[in-house]
mmCIF file of all heavy atoms in Angstrom:
data_model
loop_
_atom_site.group_PDB
_atom_site.id
_atom_site.type_symbol
_atom_site.label_atom_id
_atom_site.label_comp_id
_atom_site.label_asym_id
_atom_site.label_seq_id
_atom_site.Cartn_x
_atom_site.Cartn_y
_atom_site.Cartn_z
ATOM 1 N N ASP A 591 -15.270 17.708 11.105
ATOM 2 C CA ASP A 591 -16.339 18.090 12.132
ATOM 3 C C ASP A 591 -17.743 17.395 11.674
ATOM 4 O O ASP A 591 -18.463 16.865 12.554
ATOM 5 C CB ASP A 591 -16.592 19.509 12.170
ATOM 6 C CG ASP A 591 -15.413 20.242 12.968
ATOM 7 O OD1 ASP A 591 -14.586 19.558 13.599
ATOM 8 O OD2 ASP A 591 -15.375 21.506 12.982
ATOM 9 N N TYR A 592 -17.994 17.382 10.407
ATOM 10 C CA TYR A 592 -19.177 16.725 9.869
ATOM 11 C C TYR A 592 -19.119 15.189 10.093
ATOM 12 O O TYR A 592 -20.115 14.638 10.478
ATOM 13 C CB TYR A 592 -19.446 17.074 8.363
ATOM 14 C CG TYR A 592 -20.786 16.656 7.909
ATOM 15 C CD1 TYR A 592 -21.927 17.450 8.206
ATOM 16 C CD2 TYR A 592 -20.875 15.563 7.109
ATOM 17 C CE1 TYR A 592 -23.149 17.144 7.731
ATOM 18 C CE2 TYR A 592 -22.154 15.203 6.750
ATOM 19 C CZ TYR A 592 -23.222 15.935 6.994
ATOM 20 O OH TYR A 592 -24.523 15.580 6.437
ATOM 21 N N PHE A 593 -17.978 14.633 9.844
ATOM 22 C CA PHE A 593 -17.776 13.193 9.957
ATOM 23 C C PHE A 593 -17.990 12.740 11.396
ATOM 24 O O PHE A 593 -18.495 11.737 11.710
ATOM 25 C CB PHE A 593 -16.365 12.778 9.547
ATOM 26 C CG PHE A 593 -16.128 13.033 7.979
ATOM 27 C CD1 PHE A 593 -14.753 13.184 7.573
ATOM 28 C CD2 PHE A 593 -17.109 12.901 7.099
ATOM 29 C CE1 PHE A 593 -14.572 13.367 6.195
ATOM 30 C CE2 PHE A 593 -16.882 13.109 5.784
ATOM 31 C CZ PHE A 593 -15.554 13.278 5.338
ATOM 32 N N ALA A 594 -17.665 13.585 12.329
ATOM 33 C CA ALA A 594 -17.721 13.213 13.802
ATOM 34 C C ALA A 594 -19.159 12.905 14.100
ATOM 35 O O ALA A 594 -19.384 12.173 14.989
ATOM 36 C CB ALA A 594 -17.151 14.415 14.610
ATOM 37 N N ASP A 595 -20.175 13.545 13.388
ATOM 38 C CA ASP A 595 -21.596 13.389 13.725
ATOM 39 C C ASP A 595 -22.268 12.656 12.708
ATOM 40 O O ASP A 595 -23.568 12.388 12.861
ATOM 41 C CB ASP A 595 -22.160 14.702 14.045
ATOM 42 C CG ASP A 595 -21.696 15.478 15.218
ATOM 43 O OD1 ASP A 595 -21.397 14.774 16.230
ATOM 44 O OD2 ASP A 595 -21.500 16.654 15.050
ATOM 45 N N ASN A 596 -21.592 12.260 11.687
ATOM 46 C CA ASN A 596 -22.330 11.611 10.527
ATOM 47 C C ASN A 596 -21.401 10.451 9.888
ATOM 48 O O ASN A 596 -20.405 10.795 9.367
ATOM 49 C CB ASN A 596 -22.588 12.602 9.349
ATOM 50 C CG ASN A 596 -23.549 13.757 9.857
ATOM 51 O OD1 ASN A 596 -24.756 13.561 9.741
ATOM 52 N ND2 ASN A 596 -22.931 14.848 10.268
ATOM 53 N N LEU A 597 -21.842 9.270 10.058
ATOM 54 C CA LEU A 597 -21.091 8.086 9.558
ATOM 55 C C LEU A 597 -21.390 7.911 8.139
ATOM 56 O O LEU A 597 -22.173 7.108 7.632
ATOM 57 C CB LEU A 597 -21.457 6.924 10.491
ATOM 58 C CG LEU A 597 -20.681 5.661 10.194
ATOM 59 C CD1 LEU A 597 -19.097 5.845 10.446
ATOM 60 C CD2 LEU A 597 -21.115 4.452 10.826
ATOM 61 N N ILE A 598 -20.771 8.625 7.301
ATOM 62 C CA ILE A 598 -20.748 8.578 5.808
ATOM 63 C C ILE A 598 -19.444 8.236 5.209
ATOM 64 O O ILE A 598 -18.381 8.391 5.878
ATOM 65 C CB ILE A 598 -21.330 9.771 5.301
ATOM 66 C CG1 ILE A 598 -20.373 10.968 5.582
ATOM 67 C CG2 ILE A 598 -22.808 10.067 5.650
ATOM 68 C CD1 ILE A 598 -20.807 12.228 4.845
ATOM 69 N N GLU A 599 -19.349 7.864 3.931
ATOM 70 C CA GLU A 599 -18.138 7.588 3.235
ATOM 71 C C GLU A 599 -17.118 8.661 3.102
ATOM 72 O O GLU A 599 -15.985 8.600 3.195
ATOM 73 C CB GLU A 599 -18.452 6.834 1.871
ATOM 74 C CG GLU A 599 -17.202 6.342 1.287
ATOM 75 C CD GLU A 599 -17.524 5.601 -0.141
ATOM 76 O OE1 GLU A 599 -18.532 5.956 -0.708
ATOM 77 O OE2 GLU A 599 -16.671 4.739 -0.428
ATOM 78 N N GLY A 600 -17.802 9.808 2.793
ATOM 79 C CA GLY A 600 -17.008 11.013 2.691
ATOM 80 C C GLY A 600 -17.797 12.227 2.086
ATOM 81 O O GLY A 600 -19.043 12.164 2.077
ATOM 82 N N ILE A 601 -16.969 13.305 1.743
ATOM 83 C CA ILE A 601 -17.696 14.428 1.116
ATOM 84 C C ILE A 601 -17.057 14.769 -0.120
ATOM 85 O O ILE A 601 -15.798 14.703 -0.255
ATOM 86 C CB ILE A 601 -17.546 15.706 2.109
ATOM 87 C CG1 ILE A 601 -18.389 15.476 3.341
ATOM 88 C CG2 ILE A 601 -17.991 16.994 1.455
ATOM 89 C CD1 ILE A 601 -18.158 16.514 4.384
ATOM 90 N N VAL A 602 -17.802 15.038 -1.072
ATOM 91 C CA VAL A 602 -17.234 15.494 -2.441
ATOM 92 C C VAL A 602 -17.437 16.937 -2.549
ATOM 93 O O VAL A 602 -18.488 17.587 -2.310
ATOM 94 C CB VAL A 602 -18.066 14.819 -3.618
ATOM 95 C CG1 VAL A 602 -17.476 15.339 -5.062
ATOM 96 C CG2 VAL A 602 -17.903 13.331 -3.557
#
Side-chain angles (χ1 to χ4, degrees):
D591 286 348
Y592 190 78
F593 295 151
D595 298 319
N596 298 273
L597 187 59
I598 60 170
E599 187 176 26
I601 293 174
V602 178

